[in-house]
Amino acid sequence: MKATIRVRMSAHDAHYGGNLVDGARMLQLFGDVATELLIRRDGDEGLFKAYDMVEFLAPVYAGDFIEATGEIVSEGNTSRKMVFEAKKVIVPRRDISESACDVLDEPIVVCRASGTCVTPKACQRR
C-alpha cells in the first residue's frame, strides 16, 4: 500500500538564511503520509512510534514543490513498518522572474526515512 502528497514549501517553512527549509519539515510530511496509510489500512490514524533511519540528501528551499511518498513494507499485529522518500519536483527560477518555475525532468531525492507506526488492536477497523 502506498500514499503520496505534494506540497509547495512556503516562506513560512524557511527556517534558515537563504530560504532554506528545516529538515524536520520533511519528517512532518512523512508523518502525514503515514497517517493516510494507517487510515487506509486500519481505519484509524494510529501512532508514529519511531524512525529507525533518516537521511537528508539535498537542500530544500521556499518555493520548491516536494512530493512525499510512503509505503507499508511489513506488518505485525499492531505495527506497520514504513519507508518514505521526499523528492523535489518543481523549483523556482527567480533568475528569470519572481514567478518563474521549472518542472524537473529528474526529481531530486531530498530525504529518505524508515520507521514504525502502531495502530492499537482496539482501534483497528479493517
Side-chain angles (χ1 to χ4, degrees), residues 18-91:
N19 284 323
L20 185 63
V21 173
D22 189 342
R25 182 70 172 101
M26 298 307 104
L27 300 184
Q28 183 181 26
L29 294 177
F30 294 160
D32 291 342
V33 170
T35 298
E36 180 177 339
L37 286 167
L38 291 173
I39 290 168
R40 289 177 181 276
R41 167 61 181 86
D42 297 317
D44 190 88
E45 292 183 4
L47 303 164
F48 210 120
K49 182 174 178 167
Y51 284 103
D52 52 55
M53 185 277 296
V54 176
E55 293 179 300
F56 297 104
L57 303 165
V60 175
Y61 299 97
D64 290 343
F65 281 75
I66 301 297
E67 184 176 275
T69 59
E71 179 179 7
I72 297 173
V73 293
S74 66
E75 299 183 19
N77 288 327
T78 60
S79 63
R80 313 288 180 242
K81 173 76 173 173
M82 299 181 188
V83 294
F84 305 95
E85 187 170 77
K87 296 178 183 176
K88 188 183 308 192
V89 295
I90 298 174
V91 295

Side-chain angles (χ1 to χ4, degrees), residues 91-103:
V91 295
R93 289 293 310 273
R94 291 185 184 91
D95 57 315
I96 297 172
S97 76
E98 284 300 310
S99 57
C101 293
D102 283 341
V103 176

